[in-house]
Amino acid sequence: MSALLDLIPSLLGGLWVTVQLTLGGALLACILAWLGGLGKRSGFWPVRWVAIAYIEVFRGTSALVQLFWFFYGLPLFGIHLAPMWAGILVLGLNIGAYGAEIVRGGIQSIDKGQSEACTALNLTPFQQFRFVLLPQALVRILPPAGNLLIELLKTTALVSLITLSDLTFKGMILRAETLRTAEIFALLLLIYFGLAQLLAFLVRRIELRLKRGWHMEGTS
Amino acid sequence: MSTAPIVSVRGLCKRFGTHEVLKEFDMDINPGEKLSIIGPSGSGKSTFLRILMTLEKPNAGTIEIEGKGLWHMERGGKTVPADKKHLRAMRTQVGMVFQHFNLFPHMTALQNVAMAPKQVLGLTRDEANERGQDLLERVGLGDKLDAHPNQLSGGQKQRVGIARALAMQPKVMLFDEVTSALDPELVGEVLGVLRELAHETDMTMLLVTHEMRFAQEISDRVAFMDHGQVLELDTPANIFTNPTLARTREFLNAVLES
């Protein structure tokens, strides 16, 4: 056990990079998921078209290839991104595209009677979204969004391929130095698993908070 | 009837695909009138209410509420289709209670009722809550202000639905089969609320219903609809005891015997 523990300090720097990527990527993914999800429902076709193009392109290609493009491809066109920014950008764009479908599905799943009631009460489209659709969509969106967040955490390991020293990268370095392969990989597994559990716990907390006192038919 | 009608419908047509739901539909409704619409399912009753609530757009014809077009407006001396702003202005006159309640599940009963008065009519929170509480007490739910819809029975839900619609103080209230989704033993409490409204308010009430006895009891007039048209429009006494048309008699015999 102590043999495992003495490896941890060398991994901490990498852990911080992984956390930064996860938080930064999640923030961007969250914004893009709403823009993409709402955009796909827009009545204005250019907006809808851009949203669909974004979702399809970033869902339909691999995150690794996207990462290579942003880090090694864009410089060919004169655009240079720091590895951390390239990492956050790709993670956000990639996960955001999946998130957009979750957002769209979450809003679409709300019974049509809800918007009819809003019309009958003369709510503006914005009020309808803010007071009726959004609160109901959020509780439906959160559980799959939590899954996606864990997916994002695991995808961060790819950034070691664009020179970022994240948790996985540090682990590989440490393995080369110490040759304690089994212990290091076991430790990596544990740390990623711990982070994922932490994320799942946080999402669950938010979900319970949103639903406090509210027992919705069909969910709960 | 010498007063001008509050709702005037002329030549209203509605098609879903090739299916004609309303055909050259005409109707005048007097201010304060309680008018029930009866008829077999698929006769266009609910579609008519939904067009009045601007939930469906008619294919042809005109509707006027207090002389102003609902689905059309005047611009530069010409009659043009209503824009969003016009529809919003016209909607303040009309309210609706739905068959399936359509309550907001994430809000308490009080929030369901008070939200639109606050957001749409601009009442303060206290004013809106007071109005909401008054109305919920009026429908017999003064002890359920903080209950969420799924903690309520169907009859209670529908009474919240009625209170919610009343809170906007429309001149014309539409009731779209408001007891059809209820268990039989819960129908009475909702009809009780409607009866009280019919007797004690001067609100114009338009009810699509399958509760024949109730329609007979509270209506000023009853319309019998079939295949997208009003076939007969008369006092409840005449419709129920002495209908002119064989088709009306046939329908009434079928529903009243069951």
Side-chain angles (χ1 to χ4, degrees):
Chain A
M1 193 62 206
S2 65
L4 271 180
L5 289 179
D6 67 81
L7 291 169
I8 287 180
S10 340
L11 292 174
L12 277 182
L15 178 63
W16 175 232
V17 172
T18 295
V19 169
Q20 278 177 288
L21 281 163
T22 305
L23 294 182
L27 185 67
L28 180 62
C30 201
I31 295 167
L32 289 171
W34 280 96
L35 289 178
L38 293 177
K40 199 169 170 180
R41 287 174 53 82
S42 170
F44 184 52
W45 71 263
V47 171
R48 197 168 57 241
W49 194 87
V50 167
I52 291 172
Y54 157 62
I55 293 168
E56 294 309 321
V57 166
F58 280 89
R59 272 199 320 180
T61 57
S62 99
L64 184 59
V65 176
Q66 290 164 16
L67 208 54
F68 283 163
W69 258 102
F70 274 73
F71 192 66
Y72 298 112
L74 288 184
L76 303 176
F77 303 95
I79 303 167
H80 297 266
L81 292 172
M84 177 59 86
W85 285 114
I88 288 178
L89 209 57
V90 166
L91 289 166
L93 282 162
N94 184 276
I95 299 295
Y98 289 96
E101 284 297 298
I102 292 177
V103 167
R104 185 187 61 81
I107 293 175
Q108 206 150 287
S109 70
I110 296 171
D111 183 67
K112 201 163 158 281
Q114 295 287 303
S115 60
E116 293 188 345
C118 291
T119 303
L121 294 168
N122 219 357
L123 266 61
T124 63
F126 175 76
Q127 289 169 334
Q128 172 179 345
F129 180 75
R130 165 69 185 81
F131 298 110
V132 176
L133 295 185
L134 181 64
Q136 295 186 61
L138 268 183
V139 291
R140 294 169 199 222
I141 287 169
L142 262 176
N147 282 338
L148 209 49
L149 191 58
I150 292 169
E151 199 61 43
L152 186 148
L153 165 70
K154 294 185 291 183
T155 313
T156 58
L158 292 178
V159 298
S160 56
L161 296 165
I162 59 163
T163 76
L164 267 176
S165 343
D166 73 322
L167 191 56
T168 304
F169 184 83
K170 287 279 192 194
M172 300 305 252
I173 300 283
L174 204 57
R175 188 182 76 108
E177 286 170 356
T178 63
L179 300 175
R180 290 157 68 181
T181 305
E183 288 153 277
I184 288 166
F185 282 173
L187 204 53
L188 284 184
L189 274 183
L190 277 176
I191 295 175
Y192 276 111
F193 181 73
L195 287 175
Q197 288 301 302
L198 184 66
L199 289 178
F201 172 76
L202 290 176
V203 170
R204 182 77 193 137
R205 283 297 296 267
I206 301 172
E207 198 187 325
L208 288 175
R209 171 106 198 200
L210 279 177
K211 283 205 285 194
R212 200 168 43 190
W214 163 23
H215 324 271
M216 221 173 79
E217 281 139 296
T219 56
S220 94
Chain B
M1 300 275 179
S2 57
T3 49
I6 188 165
V7 179
S8 183
V9 185
R10 289 291 174 272
L12 197 65
C13 291
K14 177 65 185 174
R15 286 185 302 273
F16 290 116
T18 56
H19 178 58
E20 278 194 293
V21 186
L22 294 175
K23 297 173 205 163
E24 296 287 326
F25 178 93
D26 296 335
M27 190 179 271
D28 281 325
I29 301 155
N30 299 309
E33 188 173 26
K34 323 298 175 206
L35 193 151
S36 294
I37 305 177
I38 61 171
S41 38
S43 57
K45 311 181 297 287
S46 288
T47 303
F48 172 53
L49 292 198
R50 291 172 58 79
I51 292 174
L52 276 177
M53 193 62 258
T54 71
L55 298 173
E56 302 281 354
K57 195 174 176 176
N59 295 103
T62 60
I63 298 174
E64 287 184 350
I65 297 175
E66 291 191 321
K68 284 183 80 178
L70 176 64
W71 280 102
H72 62 274
M73 58 188 213
E74 304 297 320
R75 184 186 278 155
K78 278 188 185 163
T79 301
V80 295
D83 60 15
K84 283 179 185 161
K85 200 176 146 214
H86 181 83
L87 285 173
R88 259 183 76 71
M90 293 306 293
R91 256 183 232 128
T92 59
Q93 316 278 346
V94 190
M96 186 161 182
V97 182
F98 297 89
Q99 180 179 359
H100 295 288
F101 329 128
N102 297 354
L103 296 184
F104 305 128
H106 57 299
M107 297 182 190
T108 63
L110 183 61
Q111 287 168 337
N112 263 282
V113 181
M115 187 265 280
K118 178 162 173 275
Q119 301 301 336
V120 179
L121 304 180
L123 268 60
T124 66
R125 194 171 65 181
D126 287 346
E127 288 166 345
N129 283 342
E130 199 187 317
R131 183 181 290 189
Q133 191 171 341
D134 285 349
L135 286 167
L136 285 169
E137 281 166 6
R138 185 163 168 194
V139 298
L141 292 174
D143 57 337
K144 296 288 184 187
L145 300 181
D146 296 322
H148 280 76
N150 77 327
Q151 297 167 314
L152 300 173
S153 72
Q156 291 170 331
K157 282 185 209 177
Q158 193 56 294
R159 286 187 278 154
V160 175
I162 293 170
R164 182 176 71 173
L166 286 173
M168 299 302 282
Q169 303 180 331
K171 289 184 183 152
V172 180
M173 187 73 92
L174 313 172
F175 297 88
D176 187 11
E177 297 194 28
V178 295
T179 58
S180 296
L182 299 176
D183 291 334
E185 76 270 24
L186 301 177
V187 168
E189 63 189 69
V190 172
L191 293 185
V193 169
L194 294 182
R195 186 177 290 121
E196 196 234 272
L197 284 178
H199 290 149
E200 294 176 20
T201 69
D202 53 7
M203 189 170 65
T204 306
M205 290 170 63
L206 211 53
L207 305 100
V208 166
T209 184
H210 293 296
E211 301 289 335
M212 297 302 151
R213 300 280 176 226
F214 179 73
Q216 183 169 13
E217 173 200 331
I218 63 120
S219 307
D220 298 311
R221 287 189 299 166
V222 174
F224 173 67
M225 271 187 81
D226 198 14
H227 292 113
Q229 286 183 315
V230 176
L231 297 187
E232 213 165 336
L233 176 56
D234 210 333
T235 61
N238 284 345
I239 290 272
F240 285 102
T241 54
N242 191 20
T244 321
L245 299 176
R247 181 69 190 99
T248 313
R249 217 164 6 233
E250 192 187 329
F251 171 76
L252 287 172
N253 284 339
V255 290
L256 290 176
E257 261 165 36
S258 61

